[in-house]
Amino acid sequence: MLQSSHPSEAISRLKRSIEDHLIGRSPLVERMMIALLTGGHVLVEGVPGLAKTRSIRLLAAGLEASFARVQCTPDLMPSDLTGTPVFRPDSGTFEFVEGPIFHNLVLVDEINRAPPKVQSALLEGMAEGQVTSGGETYALPDPFLVMATQNPIEQEGTFPLPEAQRDRFQFHVLVDQPDVQEERQILDLVDAEGSATPQNDAPFALGDLAAARDLVRQVHASPALKDYIVRLVTATREADRCPEVQYAVSPRGSIALLAGARARAWLDGRDYAGPDDVATLASDALAHRMILTWRAEADGQTSRDLIARLLETVEPL
């Protein structure tokens, strides 16, 4: 087991502080913590009113880092996200004014309402850690994380995310409606909080985050576990096993799943990752990276159903 250390205690406090102000969202909180520890990005999908934006704001409140929120609309311009050169009459020169993407944590609300040019600008930031404006390239801060939300039921005025954009998200988390007990607890939580925004008195420092990321990279992943991940991912490319798949998971899915398994193990206090870590994260890490055939979609099949089936047939060594 890992020895108790300041980074692990700090991340545990952060995780508890978020869960204390959310009801029934432990899987989402876990994925956000994993993304924070591995430098990944998270896409959260669910109908309005399920605390998607709230969960990300709680994460921002618990971090000693800069935060910005971008509300996507069809008329949003790339410069509204990245910034733009501004002419300064006093000096007679152009000065680049940074946009909201130049923060450590960026909440992109209703990302599928952003037009393709804005999504392309966001993709460069997510993939390369930089943005290009006016022929100049500017580095984004480190760490840099994008937490995006998406509404699955309102499609008018939206732009489907391109495959390359979806592939850059480490996790695609689906948020479901709460059950009866959880909904009752939500009412109690709202009554207790009133109109005050929850604050974190001991925010997680970026120095602790760098140390925590180093520890996560040291978590042991056995050759057998890596083989398990590879067999699970490459199974999506086998036509006889997965005829429903038109475009299978790329190696980026294997990389994301291995990094996530290490971080999940570290959060659990273990210095080794196991098959349970892989199986728990597989759907959120892989399903959004594949495209099914039109026939499979017409039959009502989903990529998450396929991943669940593969988890039953592809066994760890």
Side-chain angles (χ1 to χ4, degrees):
M1 303 292 286
L2 292 172
Q3 297 296 320
S4 176
S5 60
H6 179 60
S8 64
E9 294 172 354
I11 199 75
S12 295
R13 287 197 304 269
L14 173 61
K15 187 171 182 288
R16 287 195 302 270
S17 70
I18 296 175
E19 290 178 332
D20 286 344
H21 298 286
L22 289 174
I23 303 297
R25 295 290 175 256
S26 293
L28 172 58
V29 175
E30 180 184 66
R31 273 53 165 185
M32 292 195 304
M33 293 295 101
I34 292 173
L36 182 66
L37 291 169
T38 59
H41 309 288
V42 180
L43 174 61
V44 187
E45 182 173 333
V47 299
L50 297 184
K52 301 185 298 298
T53 300
R54 174 185 172 88
S55 62
I56 299 169
R57 282 191 173 277
L58 287 171
L59 173 62
L63 293 175
E64 198 174 83
S66 60
F67 169 71
R69 175 181 180 273
V70 178
Q71 177 62 55
C72 294
T73 57
D75 60 349
L76 196 70
M77 298 292 291
S79 57
D80 296 328
L81 178 71
T82 63
T84 185
V86 175
F87 182 71
R88 300 299 187 189
D90 53 344
S91 63
T93 60
F94 283 89
E95 176 185 339
F96 181 73
V97 177
E98 297 178 348
I101 199 173
F102 284 88
H103 288 76
N104 298 115
L105 176 59
V106 181
L107 164 58
V108 184
D109 239 340
E110 296 188 290
I111 186 174
N112 54 331
R113 289 194 176 280
K117 286 186 178 181
V118 174
Q119 293 183 7
S120 296
L122 181 61
L123 174 59
E124 181 187 8
M126 294 171 63
E128 308 296 338
Q130 65 182 33
V131 298
T132 302
S133 177
E136 297 289 334
T137 299
Y138 304 91
L140 295 176
D142 184 25
F144 172 70
L145 294 93
V146 171
M147 302 281 178
T149 68
Q150 183 170 275
N151 179 356
I153 61 175
E154 195 171 351
Q155 300 302 320
E156 185 175 353
T158 63
F159 304 86
L161 296 186
E163 287 70 25
Q165 180 85 58
R166 290 188 298 172
D167 196 41
R168 288 296 176 177
F169 285 101
Q170 183 179 19
F171 297 120
H172 178 197
V173 184
L174 299 183
V175 181
D176 296 326
Q177 295 278 12
D179 59 28
V180 174
Q181 182 178 3
E182 291 171 344
E183 187 123 1
R184 181 65 174 81
Q185 292 173 343
I186 290 172
L187 294 182
D188 290 337
L189 178 63
V190 171
D191 270 350
E193 288 182 353
S195 59
T197 301
Q199 299 294 326
N200 193 310
D201 297 329
F204 189 70
L206 293 185
D208 288 336
L209 178 58
R213 287 182 171 182
D214 287 339
L215 292 173
V216 168
R217 284 190 286 267
Q218 297 172 24
V219 171
H220 179 65
S222 68
L225 183 70
K226 293 179 181 178
D227 288 341
Y228 177 45
I229 293 174
V230 169
R231 288 187 293 111
L232 186 63
V233 170
T234 55
T236 66
R237 306 171 195 165
E238 300 174 10
D240 56 338
R241 175 176 281 185
C242 299
E244 309 94 333
V245 177
Q246 183 175 6
Y247 296 102
V249 180
S250 72
R252 190 175 287 124
S254 299
I255 296 170
L257 191 51
L258 177 60
R262 279 194 166 110
R264 186 175 187 271
W266 187 79
L267 286 171
D268 195 41
R270 289 178 280 117
D271 58 5
Y272 64 92
D276 286 346
D277 299 311
V278 172
T280 299
L281 300 176
S283 287
D284 289 342
L286 303 180
H288 63 291
R289 302 177 190 272
M290 68 174 71
I291 300 177
L292 301 186
T293 64
W294 66 269
R295 185 181 297 275
E297 292 182 347
D299 291 339
Q301 300 184 56
T302 68
S303 54
R304 289 179 179 268
D305 295 335
L306 178 59
I307 295 298
R309 191 181 77 203
L310 290 177
L311 288 172
E312 294 177 353
T313 57
V314 179
E315 298 181 356
L317 298 176

